[in-house]
Amino acid sequence: MSGFVGVVVSDPSLQGQFTQVELRSLKAKFVSLKRESGHVTTKNLPGLMKKLRGLNEVVSEEEIAAFLSESYPDSDQEIEFESFLRTYLNLQAKVTTKEENGGSGTGARKNSSSFLKSTITTLLHNLNQAEKSSYVAHINTYLGEDQFLKKYLPVDPSGNQLFDLIRDGVLLCKLINVAVPGTIDERAINKKRVLNPWERNENHTLCLNSAKAIGCTVVNIGTQDLVEGRPHLVLGLISQIIKIQLLADLNLKKTPQLVELFDDSKDIDEVLSLSPEKMLLRWMNHHLKKAGYKKTVNNFSSDVKDGEAYAYLLKALAPETSPETTLETKDPDQRAKLVLEQAEKLDCKRYLTPKDITEGSANLNLAFVAQIFQHRNGFTSDAKQVTLTQTASRDDVLVSREERAFRMWINSLGVETYVNNVFEDVRNGWVLLEVLDKVSPGSVSWKLASKPPIKMPFRKLENCNQVVKIGKELKFSLVNLAGNDIVQGNKKLIVALLWQLMRFNILQLLNKLRFHSQGSQGKEITDADILNWANSKVKASGRTSRIESFKDKSLSNGVFFLELLGAVQPRVVNWKVVTKGENDDEKKLNATYIISVARKLGCSVFLLPEDIIEVNQKMILTLTASIMYWSLQRQPQPQSETPEPSEPSSMASDATSDVGSEDGASTVAPSEGEEVNSLSESISNLTTDDATSNAPPAENGNDAAGS
């Protein structure tokens, strides 16, 4: 795939409105229509445009046809691809204007309550200067003293310095580590003063794979988008990373006192399933009620625009800094100003201006409330409640780690539903059906499925029964699993099902490349094949390490995986920073380095260092298989006939180099414009248009451009 150059549009400003993923998907649909009809005109275009993202639920074919007739009076006039793109943008703008002016329709309800569910893609890239300034202030504050970045900071929020600075990938990697410390081993970041293009791509690959591993949605963004510093994509990614940081403490593990928000009858698993955003709203309303505020805040936009809720919140949390004049003030602008002055006294940095409050900027208001929570949560320290959530057996810890891995994997697939807690969110069966549709396109009978919210219990059971039925058809071992076990939230059985789904996903991708493996023609790749491949690779590189199975205790020191990574890409590992793995500290250093180097290559992995140290057989297999998949993709593929431009290949390698480090590691030129290579993205591409006849209802967005 080294010759791939992407879809090129003659007008740079038009090309800048789309990512390469979107352009390739739109081009494929356009070419397909042209091939079927001979040419594209206003007569046959409405049917296609009705299916595109942003239009499929809010505008009819008749309305599209009427719009096209205004732009193209001659109904037989042939429409070229670039005209099609402009028409798409104009229609999207028209729909957006209609909704902002009070238009009704299902599109109006598509404002997701979770910032993490929004994929990083848009068609009308109007930058929010207020959000940009806020994110820049955050970066200046948290990275201003970083030894490598401090010579480039502070960033001026008024210009394009931010987008220039992220082009080498270092800042984004550092920002991820601020949000979730320890995610990226900094030894794997290329930090030379001047990086070549391939080293920059490596950093961006590491960034995107790590962003997925902490819960960001990055389905429609590639390394080249970051290299080019595309503002709308950069801000979208930064927004997610910052919010993950700000909401990190909004869970029972980090803040056990959150149980104060729930009455004793509330099931603890239901509490655990709440998204951080919903937990923050519940916390805010808890204190507002205590302060005498009569309303309920349901969002961070319209419900806080008058500033009254903030005045009551600060009065409840910090009465010593809350004068009565704030509540007595009738002017919303003046009240917003007083609120921010009070917040400053709590040492809260200004994520927003009075104007952002009165205009209801959802992202900035959420960030503001999250920061108040961090500085003054208003909880008591009840040792009994803390003990309730902190005592956990070793098995509980292992299940928790596996839940995290499965959660991140599911979210990386690009399914419509964002998963906050696997064991709760899968109980209605819908998420599992979405996953099955990704890993086995066409296997789900959507006509028999019920989409959330589901009020009738038997509908949930029907969904879960279909999950079990499909699992058995895929030859999963589900002897003791029934649909009701999923509805009841049986953690052990749910983990077993999810593991088989993930394993099926991995083996399916490897089977797509099975012609690369000698002697594997015509047979399915097995766990044993993966094991033999890894041992053969290490042996062929001149190393002597060998493992007997994926639970071989010798894997604990990390040396085998470092040798395997070095075997698939010569000199990828900087052996100067590798330890012998003779004690726990050395093992931890090696394990964190392994994960970051694998992600830097382009492997999409979701395990933690502890999974390597403790030799978690499941996670060890996924890591090995991901490295194998990356390695096989880099091998020359047999020539096959190449059709006209079509959907992005599921096997497309990413825009990464093969690793350049500060000690002069090798660099192999990548293909510009190609997306990050990952198991999850490949599945997403494989399933884009494979099963349209069995696709779920239109509101799931499966016909969306670039999905």
Side-chain angles (χ1 to χ4, degrees), residues 144-162:
E145 297 303 315
D146 181 86
Q147 289 301 308
F148 180 81
L149 292 173
K150 64 182 181 181
K151 56 180 173 288
Y152 305 108
L153 300 178
V155 173
D156 179 3
S158 63
N160 291 322
Q161 186 184 355
L162 172 65

Side-chain angles (χ1 to χ4, degrees), residues 341-366:
E341 289 175 357
Q342 292 170 231
E344 282 286 311
K345 295 175 184 177
L346 294 182
D347 208 22
C348 291
K349 302 172 185 67
R350 291 197 177 190
Y351 277 96
L352 72 178
T353 64
K355 183 179 178 182
D356 297 322
I357 293 178
T358 57
E359 290 187 351
S361 174
N363 279 348
L364 297 184
N365 277 290
L366 183 148

